[in-house]
Amino acid sequence: MNDVIPFYGTQDRKMFAIERSSMDRQGKVIDFLNKHLPPGLILDVGAGDGYTAKRIKNADVICLEPSAGMVNFSNNRLWAKGSAESIPFHDNYFDAVYATWAYFLPGIDKSKGLGEVKRVVKEGGTIIIVDNAGNDEICSLASNLIAEGPEFYLENGFSAYYIDTSFEFESIDDALTLMKMYFGDRITKENIKLEYEYKVVAYIKNMVTVQPNEA
Ligand SMILES: C[S@@+](CC[C@H](N)C(=O)[O-])C[C@H]1O[C@@H](n2cnc3c(N)ncnc32)[C@H](O)[C@@H]1O
């Protein structure tokens, strides 16, 4: 397999744990997924350590992850090795497929990835892709572009839902550690904060809405 995009979390699990617990600490993205994913068999593409998959209710989630360094077998989910561009399952297999912050990685072939996702999802199955939305405090700190426009998804028949959330750190030390890694000298002890505005977009195709008593 040659389409693994290098990701820092593979080498630094502690740092990734800080990121994952602070990013959308309020759990708005998880709530959105639980509201719009159908019950049944679901694939999480680029699952990381399974942080999101572990929190999906009322469904059997399989975590697909290309990097052995990210996998966490203790999270009570099934795991498969593979990438967005090459999904090791047969056609029409899943009731839904989602990806959280895996498609924005520079280098991912989104068209190939979407082709694969469409192949493995059943006819009319739900697809949800979660990504950075941009135009927020986090993106304004980045010197490179860390959010793309919605064009690719809209052209491919997705609808876009915007979720206002935040990075919310447990301590100033955690905030300094992660924010310095991402934004270098822009972050200092003098300007560090515990909370940063963060906007997320969920692109969704074939939306279902699960009633609260089903979730
Ligand atoms: C930012 S992390 C997100 C992890 C997880 N989805 C979450 O929400 O916590 C991106 C993940 O994508 C994985 N990745 C790298 N190349 C990939 C590819 N070609 N297809 C799918 N995932 C990939 C990385 O190994 C990493 O685990």
Side-chain angles (χ1 to χ4, degrees), residues 31-48:
D31 289 347
F32 183 92
L33 291 172
N34 275 318
K35 194 167 171 194
H36 295 298
L37 285 170
L41 188 62
I42 293 179
L43 185 68
D44 179 335
V45 178

Side-chain angles (χ1 to χ4, degrees), residues 125-183:
T126 302
I127 303 172
I128 303 179
I129 309 291
V130 172
D131 210 336
N132 296 339
N135 289 323
D136 60 15
E137 214 175 355
I138 287 286
C139 288
S140 72
L141 286 164
S143 51
N144 54 333
L145 204 59
I146 57 170
E148 286 181 359
E151 296 76 15
F152 171 82
Y153 296 97
L154 300 183
E155 279 162 16
N156 280 286
F158 286 76
S159 305
Y161 292 81
Y162 290 87
I163 301 170
D164 288 340
T165 183
S166 62
F167 265 75
E168 199 181 327
F169 294 96
E170 208 159 71
S171 67
I172 286 291
D173 277 354
D174 279 0
L176 269 173
T177 305
L178 188 80
M179 297 296 279
K180 267 188 158 303
M181 179 200 67
Y182 269 125
F183 307 120

Side-chain angles (χ1 to χ4, degrees), residues 3-7 10 16 19-20 23 44-52 64-67 70 82-85 99-102 104-105 108:
D3 37 16
V4 183
I5 311 299
F7 179 64
T10 315
F16 185 63
E19 169 164 358
R20 211 52 196 83
M23 181 169 67
D44 179 335
V45 178
D49 65 0
Y51 180 97
T52 304
L64 181 72
E65 171 57 45
S67 288
M70 290 302 293
S83 68
E85 300 93 328
T100 51
W101 298 284
F104 79 95
L105 292 173
I108 292 234

